[in-house]
């Protein structure tokens, strides 16, 4: 019997693929359910809030990969989001103009326009992850506060550069006849922002992408790869001494986090009533996501999701006190840091707080019974 | 040549303002090892307090508060300056006492988040109607509009003047004096020795009988007084004041912070050096390349310097232990 025979596992691969795809399938089924049931039950206002919360969750969970899991404190996350938003927005905007002659929404649910929008979001994610690689490079030399400052500088540079871009060209004929110099100035709206992006973002797409993001983040956290990231967070030098390639872990954390942030940005750009503008890249928006991550607990995916929901709902709850909204928000933040500095859940997930008997499903035998 | 000299003089004045603000960042970082994001809001507080004081004080000497024909007497300007310094250091003391002291043993990230919270709180409380309001204002002139120097360059039609206004000189002189006083305080006084001991190792300093809490409070008060002075001088130079939460103020604070990092955060002389470097890069870049990208020069320089020398120009390398 040769060594290779021993290594072959007897289980069928088909079952494994189904097993690993199941959560995503369930997530997508849930997203379809939300898409068709929610607007008719709670109305457009709350549906819109649910979309906002979904995008906030995507961004907070992705930031959690860098800040929470790898411990690289980054305050430039909105920069990745904005790169994704501008890339995805310009792809759908200019392709719709060239294909259909108008930048209006094309096709209904899962129509041709929507597929273009999804591909554009993924492209946004890819561009953002390239930026994530570039921004992650300094993390190999800098740590702690210095890295935070560099990521902050990245967001601010991006903001200024976006302010210098050219005017949006919103006419198909003009684009066809325009000299190449029109595109040298990158026509994405300059300081006033990129307006007129077709509005494709729906509950389905937000929650489908959220499901993918969360399942990815959760599996990453449980994998040996994610464990290596967690060890970088706990003690970088010790992790290095244990043979972990900390540089690779840090860079990959930046790249993956930026990818999902870019996708989230793409979703945000196509949301109705939203104009993507340079100031979205600035550090004030990045702070929003940092605050979500910290309130939720660094490394706790469900905690961060809960914090994202709370913080996107809070402005609406406090709408009547518009003037005092941010004051209350800031006071809450300080109070939270003074009273529970590890965040809502610390490093735990939400089900770690459930009673033990909930964890095993009633029709399943507990491990102890199985052993018997 | 005229343009060069003029840019140089502006850069010197702005550089000393950045240096004043950067000193506060660097002192807090040196002692407590965290970025006090609320520091830039003390600058705003100083600026708006000077406005509020000026508006109330000018009618006392029979001047139109919003548009004085002549500047008020010098004792009044000095009085406003001292009052602003006092109130700003009180604010710094309170912030440290209420928000940061309870977190002395917490992870740095939590203190950083608290600082962001304090900053948001100060900005938005400042915007309330019964505090400073949310509309821009114009600072009345507290100093005479003199030109100390007016050097002509060139001949005939192409003649250009290099002008040195009084306010630039005052900024340079006041900030220079304050920095000198701080330098003496830190390196020549008993308090400064205590401060440096706390900065070196808080626990050992406490064991040696240094009142750590008092030293940290004093650090905050000193830093905030410098920030208040910077706010006062800033609005004298640029009288159109933005509302307290405006991004212009945030950027001013960020650039001063970048100055502290470039010079080597935690190093007092580095902060001054960094302040001037940042101002030079910003002013010369804005004049000779393009003023659209003035923030880009500053932040690119920051990233460049951090990549070459991660602890800043005058910072000492950090030894890491497992």
């Amino acid at each position: 019997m040769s060594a290779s025979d021993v290594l072959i596992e007897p289980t069928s691969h088909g079952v494994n693929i189904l097993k690993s795809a199941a959560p995503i399938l369930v997530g997508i089924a849930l997203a379809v359910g939300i898409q068709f049931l929610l607007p008719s039950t709670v109305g457009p206002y709350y549906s819109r809030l649910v979309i906002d919360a979904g995008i906030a969750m995507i961004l907070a969970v992705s930031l959690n990969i860098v800040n929470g899991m790898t411990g690289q404190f980054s305050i430039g996350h909105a920069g990745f989001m904005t790169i994704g938003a501008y890339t995805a927005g310009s792809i759908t905007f200019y392709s719709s103009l060239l294909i259909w002659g108008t930048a209006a929404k094309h096709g209904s649910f899962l129509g041709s326009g929507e597929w273009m929008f999804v591909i554009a979001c993924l492209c946004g994610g890819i561009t953002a992850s390239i930026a994530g690689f570039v921004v992650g490079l300094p993390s190999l030399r800098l740590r702690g506060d210095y890295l935070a400052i560099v990521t902050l500088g990245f967001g601010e540079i991006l903001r200024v550069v976006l302010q210098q871009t050219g005017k949006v060209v919103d006419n198909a004929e003009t684009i066809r006849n325009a000299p190449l110099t029109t595109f040298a100035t990158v026509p994405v709206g300059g300081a006033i922002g990129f307006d007129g992006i077709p509005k494709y973002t729906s509950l389905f797409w937000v929650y489908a992408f959220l499901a993918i993001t969360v399942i990815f983040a959760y599996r990453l956290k449980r994998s040996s790869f994610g464990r290596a990231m967690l060890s970088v967070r706990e003690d970088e030098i010790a992790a290095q001494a244990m043979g972990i390639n900390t540089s690779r872990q840090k860079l990959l954390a930046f790249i993956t986090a930026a990818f999902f942030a870019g996708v989230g940005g793409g979703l945000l750009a196509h949301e109705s009533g939203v104009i993507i503008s340079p100031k979205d890249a600035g550090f004030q928006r990045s702070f929003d996501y940092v605050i979500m991550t910290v309130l939720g607990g660094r490394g706790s995916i469900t905690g961060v999701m809960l914090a994202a929901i709370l913080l996107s709902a809070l402005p609406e709850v406090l709408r009547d006190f518009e003037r005092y909204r941010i004051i209350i928000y800031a006071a809450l933040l300080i109070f939270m840091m003074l009273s529970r500095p590890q965040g809502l859940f610390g490093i735990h997930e939400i089900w770690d707080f459930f009673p033990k008997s909930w964890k095993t499903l009633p029709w399943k035998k507990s491990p102890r019974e199985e052993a018997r | 040549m005229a343009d060069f000299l003029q840019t140089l003089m502006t850069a010197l004045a702005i550089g000393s303002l950045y240096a004043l603000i950067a000193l506060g960042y660097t002192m807090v970082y040196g002692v407590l090892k965290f970025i006090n994001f609320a520091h830039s809001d003390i600058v705003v507080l100083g600026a708006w307090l000077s406005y509020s004081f000026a508006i109330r004080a000018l009618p006392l000497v029979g001047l139109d508060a919003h548009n004085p024909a002549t500047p008020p007497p010098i004792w009044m300007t000095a009085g406003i300056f001292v009052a602003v310094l006092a109130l700003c250091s009180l604010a710094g003391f309170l912030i440290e006492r209420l928000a940061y002291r309870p977190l002395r043993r917490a992870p740095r990230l939590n203190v950083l988040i608290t600082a962001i919270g304090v900053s948001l709180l100060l900005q938005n409380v400042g915007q309330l109607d019964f505090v400073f309001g949310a509309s821009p204002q114009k600072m009345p002139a507290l100093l005479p509009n003199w030109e100390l120097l007016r050097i002509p360059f060139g001949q005939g039609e192409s003649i250009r003047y290099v002008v040195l206004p009084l306010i630039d000189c005052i900024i340079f002189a006041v900030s220079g004096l304050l920095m000198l006083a701080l330098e003496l305080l830190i390196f020549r006084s008993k308090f400064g020795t205590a401060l440096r001991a706390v900065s070196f190792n808080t626990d050992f300093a406490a064991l040696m009988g240094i009142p750590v809490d008092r030293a940290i409070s004093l650090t905050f008060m000193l830093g905030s007084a410098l920030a208040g002075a910077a706010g006062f001088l800033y609005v004298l130079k640029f009288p159109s004041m933005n509302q307290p939460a405006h991004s212009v103020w945030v950027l001013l604070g960020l650039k001063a912070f970048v100055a502290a990092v470039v010079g080597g955060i935690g190093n007092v002389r580095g902060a001054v050096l960094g302040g001037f470097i940042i101002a030079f890069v910003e002013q010369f870049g804005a004049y000779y390349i393009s003023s659209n990208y003035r923030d880009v020069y500053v932040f690119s320089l920051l990233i460049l310097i951090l990549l070459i020398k991660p602890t800043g120009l005058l910072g000492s390398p950090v030894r890491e232990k497992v």
Side-chain angles (χ1 to χ4, degrees):
Chain A
M1 203 159 117
S2 70
S4 62
D5 290 334
V6 182
L7 290 174
I8 295 170
E9 286 186 8
T11 45
S12 142
H13 282 278
V15 175
N16 274 345
I17 289 169
L18 193 68
K19 205 177 163 189
S20 54
I24 294 183
L25 293 179
V26 170
I28 289 175
L30 279 177
V32 174
I34 292 172
Q35 163 80 21
F36 288 106
L37 296 178
L38 201 72
S40 54
T41 46
V42 297
Y45 174 72
Y46 288 101
S47 312
R48 171 66 197 263
L49 268 187
V50 174
I51 288 187
D52 284 340
I55 295 177
M57 278 192 270
I58 292 178
L59 280 150
V61 169
S62 64
L63 178 62
N64 202 19
I65 296 175
V66 179
N67 279 15
M69 288 170 62
T70 324
Q72 304 294 300
F73 191 58
S74 156
I75 32 182
H77 207 56
F80 300 129
M81 181 200 78
T82 317
I83 287 181
Y86 269 93
T87 313
S90 41
I91 288 175
T92 39
F93 182 80
Y94 286 108
S95 339
S96 318
L97 271 185
L98 288 175
I99 300 169
W100 298 300
T102 163
K105 197 174 158 178
H106 193 86
S108 55
F109 184 61
L110 297 189
S112 49
E114 294 232 327
W115 289 108
M116 187 172 73
F117 149 68
V118 173
I119 292 165
C121 281
L122 294 175
C123 290
I126 291 166
T127 355
S129 59
I130 294 169
F133 174 73
V134 176
V135 178
L137 281 178
S139 76
L140 308 182
R141 253 176 93 69
L142 305 169
R143 27 194 78 132
D145 303 330
Y146 291 103
L147 183 66
I149 303 153
V150 165
T151 52
L152 187 142
F154 153 72
E156 289 298 311
I157 290 176
L158 186 66
R159 179 181 61 79
V160 180
V161 169
L162 285 174
Q163 277 172 358
Q164 311 304 324
T165 50
K167 259 185 7 192
V168 177
V169 187
D170 53 0
N171 188 319
E173 277 311 300
T174 327
I175 293 177
R176 285 204 185 87
N177 300 329
L180 272 177
T181 48
T182 319
F183 295 95
T185 59
V186 196
V188 288
I192 50 168
F194 194 176
D195 196 8
I197 302 170
K199 308 302 177 195
Y200 284 116
T201 302
S202 59
L203 283 163
F204 170 72
W205 286 117
V206 171
Y207 280 84
F209 276 123
L210 176 66
I212 295 169
T213 313
V214 169
I215 290 163
F216 180 87
Y218 186 66
R219 286 203 169 145
L220 182 67
K221 191 181 165 186
R222 301 281 295 250
S223 69
S224 63
F225 215 80
R227 294 285 176 198
M229 286 181 174
L230 291 173
S231 74
V232 173
R233 175 184 78 180
E234 295 305 328
D235 194 323
E236 204 174 319
I237 298 164
Q240 211 158 19
M242 296 306 287
I244 287 164
N245 186 346
T246 50
S247 315
R248 193 183 63 172
Q249 298 298 337
K250 288 195 280 185
L251 266 185
L252 277 165
F254 262 100
I255 292 170
T256 45
F259 176 79
F260 288 111
V263 172
L267 293 169
L268 187 77
H270 294 82
E271 194 183 343
S272 62
V274 168
I275 300 174
I276 285 296
S277 69
K279 76 170 194 301
D280 287 323
F283 75 106
Q284 260 151 350
R285 202 175 176 113
S286 293
F287 276 164
D288 288 351
Y289 302 121
V290 169
I291 288 166
M292 285 171 195
T293 323
V294 173
L295 279 190
R298 301 170 76 199
S300 164
I301 294 163
T302 40
V304 166
M305 286 166 74
L306 189 69
I309 296 175
L310 287 180
L311 288 186
S312 23
L314 195 65
E316 303 303 321
V317 178
L318 298 175
R319 179 137 285 188
D320 295 338
F321 313 96
E322 183 63 41
R323 207 166 274 264
Y324 299 93
R325 187 169 60 93
I326 306 180
I327 297 176
I328 297 171
Y329 189 95
L332 259 177
L333 190 70
I334 299 170
F335 175 74
M336 183 82 191
M337 281 299 109
L338 296 180
S339 57
R340 195 173 163 81
Q342 72 271 45
L344 285 175
F345 291 172
I347 55 167
H348 301 287
E349 297 294 349
I350 194 164
W351 43 83
D352 294 342
F353 297 93
F354 292 159
K356 280 242 166 63
S357 57
W358 290 15
K359 279 186 194 163
T360 44
L361 299 168
W363 58 87
K364 257 191 175 173
K365 281 180 185 168
S366 74
R368 192 186 293 166
E369 278 170 55
E370 239 163 45
R372 234 181 257 161
Chain B
M1 187 66 188
D3 297 340
F4 177 80
L5 280 180
Q6 191 69 65
T7 316
L8 186 72
M9 279 196 276
T10 318
L12 280 175
I14 294 181
S16 35
L17 286 180
Y18 285 164
L20 274 186
I21 309 173
L23 281 171
Y25 277 113
T26 222
M27 281 163 67
V28 169
Y29 193 92
V31 173
L32 287 180
K33 300 279 179 290
F34 83 98
I35 306 167
N36 181 13
F37 268 103
H39 190 66
S40 68
D41 300 293
I42 303 288
V43 180
V44 185
L45 181 72
W48 276 88
L49 279 178
S50 356
Y51 170 77
S52 314
F53 287 148
I55 289 296
R56 278 164 190 74
L58 285 182
L60 299 180
V61 287
L63 287 168
D64 177 11
H66 288 278
N67 207 359
T70 55
I74 193 73
W75 57 264
M76 185 167 268
T77 308
I80 292 174
F81 183 63
V82 171
V84 166
L85 290 195
L87 278 177
C88 281
S89 48
L90 178 68
F93 172 77
L94 287 177
I95 290 171
E96 194 273 331
R97 192 67 209 247
L98 300 176
Y100 300 147
R101 188 170 295 182
L103 286 170
R104 200 61 59 78
R105 298 270 160 208
R108 267 150 75 182
L109 182 65
N110 294 98
V111 193
L112 193 69
I113 303 286
T114 312
I116 294 168
V118 172
S119 167
L120 280 176
L121 192 73
L122 288 180
Q123 280 177 14
N124 290 284
V125 168
Q127 292 245 34
L128 292 177
D129 284 337
F130 52 85
V131 187
F132 298 125
S135 47
Q137 298 290 351
K138 192 169 179 306
M139 178 77 186
L142 293 184
L143 290 170
N145 190 19
W146 292 341
E147 287 170 0
L148 292 188
L149 271 178
R150 197 179 177 85
I151 315 165
F153 275 90
Q155 305 269 301
E157 297 245 320
S158 63
I159 193 159
R160 306 281 296 267
Y161 289 98
V162 174
V163 177
L164 177 63
L166 173 69
I167 176 67
D168 281 18
C169 268
I170 300 252
I171 288 177
F172 200 64
V174 170
S175 45
L177 279 177
L178 286 176
M179 285 178 226
L180 202 66
L182 188 73
E183 168 89 14
L184 288 177
L185 191 69
I186 287 181
F187 293 100
R188 295 274 188 279
S189 75
K190 208 171 160 191
F191 162 71
T193 315
L195 198 65
R196 283 180 287 143
V198 173
S199 162
F200 188 73
N201 190 323
T202 316
D203 294 334
F204 285 172
L207 285 175
M208 291 294 144
I210 291 167
V212 172
D213 279 344
R214 204 190 301 162
I216 292 174
S217 285
L218 267 167
T219 310
F220 267 84
M221 290 171 71
L222 275 176
S224 304
L226 293 177
F232 176 83
L233 295 170
Y234 185 84
V235 286
L236 284 191
K237 180 153 178 64
F238 304 104
S240 24
M241 299 168 65
N242 289 294
Q243 71 228 39
H246 197 275
S247 55
V248 164
W249 293 117
V250 181
L251 263 177
L252 176 71
L254 272 185
K255 281 181 194 159
F257 170 63
V258 167
V261 177
V262 162
I265 196 153
N267 185 315
V268 173
R269 290 167 192 170
V272 178
L273 176 72
F276 284 109
I277 290 178
I278 289 298
F280 275 72
V281 167
E282 188 196 28
Q283 294 302 316
F284 280 91
Y287 190 81
Y288 286 101
I289 307 172
S290 159
S291 65
N292 286 336
Y293 294 97
R294 62 169 70 214
D295 302 339
V296 172
Y297 311 136
V298 173
F299 289 110
S300 315
L301 179 79
L302 165 80
I303 293 174
L304 202 71
I305 287 191
L306 281 185
L307 286 180
I308 297 166
K309 204 164 180 304
T311 45
L313 290 175
L314 297 187
S316 44
V318 187
R319 291 270 303 281
E320 283 186 65
K321 285 183 252 170
V322 180

